[in-house]
Amino acid sequence: MAGRATGAIFMTIRATRRPRPKIPRKLAPMQNIPAAHALHLADVAEVLGVSRERLFEAWDLSEDELEDPDRTLDLRTLRRLVATTRRLSGEEALGLLLGSRMQIANHGDLGFAVMTAPTLRACIETAIRFAPTRTRALELSLHLEDAMCAVVIEERADFGDARDVVLVALVVGIWHIAQALAGTAVAGDVEFGFPAPSYAARFSSLAPGRLRFDQPQTRLVFDAAVPDLPVRTADPAAHRRAREQCERELAQYAPADVPKLRTLLGESPPPTLLEAAKLLGVSARTLKRRLRDEQTTFGDVRASVLTERAVLLLRQGRTLDEIAEQLGYADGTSFGRAFRRWTGESPGRQRT
């Protein structure tokens, strides 16, 4: 599959190795996911020979309930549905099948805004901005470092035993959708932060390049030219109208400070807590409270962003001192200690 790509296009997907976040006693609504995803899971189960009647009976849900566009599922229910579907179908690789069936039209106004954007960069930026209208259980961010760019997928909730299904489906879905929008093949490496599952060999045959597990983060890394590829379905007027609708939907939810903070921390050198709060127009105390409401801290967000940037720079062959200067550390030794603290690995491992 990698052989079909042109130029230096490549993709890397990585998943977090840090401890999974604890589930709060009462999940915030935006940590839920749209119920429509369960319908897609039912479609996959049906292809695998499980009748819809049997499946919905085992799920203890009705299909009518899931067809409600305003219905969401908490993550505990999602884990139960995935486990039941695996048991009835005997299929572990549900994520592969789900991702291959993912369509941008399944995501309502957000999907329409993405598919009418002028370039893949605009598609990515649109998805990042409005993803909270779908869920905050996952967070997207875009990072640019010279000849490379990375779309990072960060888990903001505990998916438990459904984790591989969610991440694999999202990765495969993004890859398929990007190729469909650009009308060209995209090759690359695929990396996840969990051990190789039983279906790893099947995934290898479908992956756009090398497949690796036990990696620090979930990311898609492209040649820097990829985001500027034009989108075949671009429509400026339709894109503007769809974004306006997405803005109205986004306004219904509490403001999300994490994406704004991640953008600020992408600067060289990254700001301190006090500097970031000033740039966001709030006090440091208010920023810490807002981040706590989003179940994170300034330190966690900073470590996540700097890890992403560091890995990109390491794979570009930058020296530790050069990276330290970019990330605001005194020297390569200080940066190396920080990198080990973030990932549990030495910087050298990321050069391989």
Side-chain angles (χ1 to χ4, degrees):
M1 192 169 298
R4 294 205 306 265
T6 58
I9 300 174
F10 68 97
M11 180 190 303
T12 304
I13 298 161
R14 306 167 62 81
T16 58
R17 177 176 291 170
R18 65 174 180 268
R20 296 176 184 170
K22 296 180 180 179
I23 304 175
R25 293 182 179 178
K26 183 177 181 180
L27 288 169
M30 287 311 293
Q31 282 194 316
N32 293 1
I33 66 166
H37 291 304
L39 292 176
H40 305 152
L41 184 60
D43 292 339
V44 167
E46 193 169 30
V47 170
L48 294 171
V50 180
S51 71
R52 297 181 84 83
E53 180 179 5
R54 181 186 179 199
L55 183 68
F56 282 105
E57 181 179 357
W59 280 359
D60 194 25
L61 288 170
S62 73
E63 194 159 0
D64 289 343
E65 288 180 273
L66 299 179
E67 289 175 346
D68 180 352
D70 295 324
R71 176 73 186 271
T72 64
L73 299 175
D74 63 73
L75 300 189
R76 190 173 294 106
T77 300
L78 171 67
R79 294 194 295 270
R80 178 174 63 82
L81 299 189
V82 167
T84 301
T85 306
R86 277 177 156 161
R87 175 174 56 81
L88 294 178
S89 68
E91 177 60 80
E92 288 294 315
L94 294 177
L96 283 176
L97 302 176
L98 276 170
S100 64
R101 300 170 66 91
M102 189 180 294
Q103 299 180 27
I104 193 63
N106 293 336
H107 297 280
D109 292 317
L110 171 56
F112 191 63
V114 168
M115 69 184 295
T116 55
T119 64
L120 286 185
R121 182 196 300 268
C123 291
I124 295 167
E125 291 173 346
T126 298
I128 289 171
R129 175 160 180 77
F130 300 115
T133 66
R134 304 291 288 170
T135 183
R136 285 188 184 160
L138 293 163
E139 181 182 302
L140 303 176
S141 58
L142 176 65
H143 300 266
L144 299 172
E145 294 289 350
D146 296 335
M148 301 167 67
C149 72
V151 178
V152 178
I153 304 167
E154 185 170 358
E155 300 161 74
R156 305 297 300 164
D158 188 350
F159 292 97
D161 291 339
R163 186 185 184 208
D164 69 302
V165 174
V166 172
L167 291 177
V168 169
L170 182 58
V171 161
V172 174
I174 289 175
W175 174 49
H176 278 292
I177 288 171
Q179 293 192 124
L181 291 175
T184 187
V186 177
D189 299 335
V190 182
E191 303 182 2
F192 291 102
F194 45 81
S198 60
Y199 53 87
R202 291 166 60 191
F203 199 164
S204 295
S205 66
L206 299 173
R210 294 178 301 171
L211 178 64
R212 296 152 75 180
F213 294 92
D214 284 321
Q215 300 299 311
Q217 292 180 310
T218 302
R219 345 182 288 165
L220 294 82
V221 180
F222 304 92
D223 182 273
V226 171
D228 295 322
L229 290 173
V231 173
R232 295 190 302 171
T233 52
D235 184 327
H239 180 63
R240 183 173 59 254
R241 290 193 297 271
R243 282 188 63 95
E244 289 171 354
Q245 177 58 32
C246 288
E247 290 287 1
R248 287 191 286 270
E249 293 180 20
L250 188 63
Q252 297 176 18
Y253 305 104
D257 286 284
V258 172
K260 300 174 186 176
L261 179 58
R262 292 181 69 93
T263 299
L264 292 177
L265 290 169
E267 299 295 327
S268 295
T272 64
L273 171 63
L274 290 174
E275 291 168 341
K278 184 176 181 179
L279 289 168
L280 291 171
V282 298
S283 67
R285 182 176 181 180
T286 297
L287 177 58
K288 288 193 288 187
R289 176 179 57 77
R290 289 183 176 179
L291 293 173
R292 185 169 61 250
D293 290 343
E294 296 189 48
Q295 299 177 8
T296 190
T297 66
F298 178 83
D300 286 344
V301 177
R302 181 180 183 277
S304 174
V305 173
L306 267 57
T307 300
E308 293 154 11
R309 294 183 60 196
V311 171
L312 275 175
L313 293 168
L314 285 166
R315 295 201 169 183
Q316 290 176 9
R318 300 295 189 86
T319 68
L320 297 191
D321 284 338
E322 289 174 332
I323 298 173
E325 183 178 0
Q326 289 281 318
L327 303 188
Y329 285 86
D331 51 41
T333 301
S334 299
F335 160 69
R337 286 197 296 267
F339 191 85
R340 289 186 184 88
R341 187 171 64 251
W342 301 332
T343 68
E345 300 176 347
S346 69
R349 183 174 178 185
Q350 293 302 318
R351 297 189 189 278
T352 61

